[in-house]
Amino acid sequence: MSSDQPTPRRSVWRALLRFRARRVDLLVAALLAVLGFALAVQVRSTQDEGLLASARQEDLVQILDELDNRSDRLREEVASLTRTQEELSSGSGDATTALREARRRTQLLGVVAGTLPASGPGIVVTLRDPEGGLSASLLLDAMMELRNAGAEAMQVEGSTPSGTRAVRVVASTSFVDTEEGVQVDGQELRAPFRFVVIGDASTLAGALAIPGGVQDTVEQALGTVEVNRSGNVRVTALHLPEQPRYARPD
Amino acid sequence: MIPALALVLGVVLGLVLNPTVPTGLQPYLPIAVVAALDALFGAVRAQLDGIFDDRVFVVSFVSNVLVAALVVFLGDQLGVGGQLSTGVVVVLGIRIFTNAAAIRRHVFHA
């Protein structure tokens, strides 16, 4: 290659020489470097940014509508619970009934608020990603899907340097992307992630398998989703309720 | 050769540094990239036609990017940013296709 074909080599050398000699060539190279840079950055940012950042206005409006509907429903629930509470505290019923009702309610609310462990039928979802492509928004999606499918109690587990940790999923649970993995309520977790969910197993499993849903997204990121249905799963991680800073019960 | 290396270097830099696109630039960057790609394809075609002039390339590259960004900016101000972006992308896309076809004829003689 080198001895019998000297011409291409020499022309490359000549091109190099000419490149040194002319400033406009440098400009062309700089422009192309900028183009390559912008191209890579744009492609990256399109891939990286979660659904919300790249979603179009119409989609955002729809998402907002769904959230509004959800908060409306929750507000109605709050109203009905408040009514019950007023009925109880108005003192028409006798004390033991009120006490029993209060205990029952505390337990129910403890499960919802994550202050009590719970067990029941449900599923265990394992999300694995050898490529490290599982993001906070994906976990958030999974949590939303499971909630919408009627999950009654949920904890998310992940590995940490000091073994597996579980975090109870409550209303205020947050998911934040970090360098290493995902921070769930301040607890740094890494894949594989496990959702332990109590609820109707077939509905929950179905919610993850809808086209374009969690399972599809994870598999696009070259990860795997494993769903195990079980007659009895235990959600044991607890959430420590914080004293609200501003809200006071009326 | 050198420009191709520069392009690759830019891509690698972009992938390694992975900077965040400033919010103000977000609508314009994709359009600017497409406009620059159009200039690039035009340059390759001109090179194959033997009429490549680097000054023309530099000027067309920069003006392409600026005009495309300006059109989208104007569109945003007029409230038709989305539609104008689509328009710009369609026009540039057609030009890229035309140039690609010319390049193909040169390379494959078909």
Side-chain angles (χ1 to χ4, degrees):
Chain A
M1 159 98 192
S2 57
S3 60
D4 53 355
Q5 283 182 313
T7 336
R9 265 196 152 191
R10 203 174 294 161
S11 73
V12 166
W13 184 235
R14 209 173 286 154
L16 277 170
L17 274 179
R18 201 175 54 223
F19 167 69
R20 287 221 186 88
R22 299 181 55 193
R23 191 171 287 171
V24 73
D25 277 333
L26 202 67
L27 209 53
V28 169
L31 283 180
L32 281 169
V34 170
L35 168 60
F37 184 74
L39 198 67
V41 170
Q42 177 62 26
V43 171
R44 257 298 165 83
S45 70
T46 322
Q47 286 172 350
D48 278 1
E49 281 162 7
L51 294 170
L52 291 184
S54 57
R56 272 173 312 161
Q57 205 170 351
E58 298 85 45
D59 299 335
L60 288 173
V61 169
Q62 204 192 335
I63 293 170
L64 192 61
D65 273 351
E66 278 167 19
L67 287 175
D68 277 347
N69 284 342
R70 195 177 150 72
S71 69
D72 279 351
R73 249 178 293 142
L74 287 175
R75 216 166 287 140
E76 276 166 29
E77 203 176 312
V78 168
S80 88
L81 286 174
T82 316
R83 228 174 295 122
T84 320
Q85 193 214 16
E86 272 167 9
E87 279 167 21
L88 286 173
S89 57
S90 65
S92 58
D94 63 330
T96 41
T97 327
L99 195 60
R100 208 185 312 128
E101 176 69 14
R103 284 227 178 86
R104 194 181 67 84
R105 194 127 290 198
T106 313
Q107 288 189 338
L108 286 178
L109 290 176
V111 170
V112 174
T115 52
L116 290 176
S119 64
I123 61 173
V124 176
V125 187
T126 311
L127 305 174
R128 285 194 190 81
D129 70 329
E131 306 281 318
L134 290 188
S135 60
S137 72
L138 188 68
L139 293 186
L140 182 69
D141 272 354
M143 184 200 78
M144 296 291 239
E145 289 288 6
L146 292 168
R147 263 192 194 157
N148 288 341
E152 289 174 354
M154 202 182 330
Q155 70 183 25
V156 55
E157 298 169 6
S159 63
T160 64
S162 55
T164 305
R165 284 288 184 83
V167 178
R168 183 69 168 261
V169 176
V170 293
S172 64
T173 301
S174 60
F175 296 87
V176 179
D177 275 320
T178 62
E179 297 285 318
E180 310 274 285
V182 175
Q183 208 180 48
V184 183
D185 263 358
Q187 172 75 52
E188 188 89 34
L189 296 181
R190 284 181 219 173
F193 299 103
R194 245 159 57 100
F195 280 91
V196 179
V197 192
I198 297 178
D200 182 67
S202 57
T203 314
L204 291 171
L208 295 177
I210 54 169
V214 172
Q215 197 158 348
D216 277 2
T217 318
V218 174
E219 277 161 10
Q220 267 173 22
L222 300 178
T224 56
V225 178
E226 190 188 317
V227 178
N228 290 315
R229 302 178 191 201
S230 169
N232 191 31
V233 297
R234 297 176 55 80
V235 173
T236 48
L238 297 184
H239 172 76
L240 289 177
E242 283 165 20
Q243 186 71 35
R245 275 173 67 193
Y246 302 107
R248 295 282 174 269
D250 278 337
Chain B
M1 185 66 190
I2 304 281
L5 282 181
L7 185 65
V8 173
L9 178 77
V11 171
V12 171
L13 267 184
L15 288 179
V16 171
L17 295 180
N18 194 15
T20 329
V21 186
T23 326
L25 275 185
Q26 260 171 12
Y28 307 116
L29 186 60
I31 301 292
V33 167
V34 175
L37 279 179
D38 172 48
L40 179 62
F41 273 87
V44 172
R45 180 189 181 175
Q47 178 83 56
L48 291 172
D49 283 340
I51 54 168
F52 178 76
D53 182 306
D54 25 30
R55 280 177 184 78
V56 173
F57 171 67
V58 170
V59 172
S60 77
F61 186 102
V62 174
S63 68
N64 242 15
V65 168
L66 288 183
V67 168
L70 185 71
V71 167
V72 177
F73 172 75
L74 266 182
D76 274 342
Q77 302 304 309
L78 297 173
V80 287
Q83 290 89 326
L84 261 187
S85 304
T86 314
V88 170
V89 169
V90 168
V91 170
L92 292 175
I94 290 173
R95 287 177 45 142
I96 290 177
F97 258 99
T98 319
N99 284 331
I103 294 170
R104 188 203 65 215
R105 276 195 287 277
H106 267 287
V107 175
F108 299 110
H109 304 290

